[in-house]
Amino acid sequence: MWHTKLSYSSNSGAYNEPFIGNPTQFSGLIGAQTNVNFLGGMTLRGSYAADIGDLYRKTHGFTLGLRKDFSFN
């Protein structure tokens, strides 16, 4: 399973403090998860996110996770 969140904006500033020009900004996240047959079943998750544009500095990030669910039945 996968998911994504994307945003693009053109920014004018505030009424009393407009920006010079119209800086643009792209923000995006893409993530995925899958079940893996390890130690009786686990979930592997990963995601990547980025901010790219003129409003904020360029940033990138990545996460990776491994989840194990237990049952006490």
Side-chain angles (χ1 to χ4, degrees):
M1 178 175 10
W2 65 277
H3 64 277
T4 186
K5 296 179 181 182
L6 305 172
S7 173
Y8 180 80
S9 63
S10 178
N11 303 278
S12 300
Y15 177 74
N16 58 349
E17 289 188 40
F19 291 141
I20 297 171
N22 285 337
T24 58
Q25 190 72 25
F26 168 79
S27 300
L29 175 133
I30 185 165
Q33 75 177 36
T34 187
N35 293 329
V36 292
N37 189 16
F38 180 69
L39 295 175
M42 300 181 97
T43 304
L44 178 64
R45 293 180 175 181
S47 63
Y48 169 76
D51 274 322
I52 302 168
D54 305 318
L55 188 61
Y56 301 114
R57 62 184 178 99
K58 294 179 183 173
T59 57
H60 303 271
F62 178 77
T63 63
L64 185 63
L66 190 60
R67 175 180 169 163
K68 173 66 179 163
D69 290 324
F70 294 95
S71 177
F72 294 106
N73 292 334

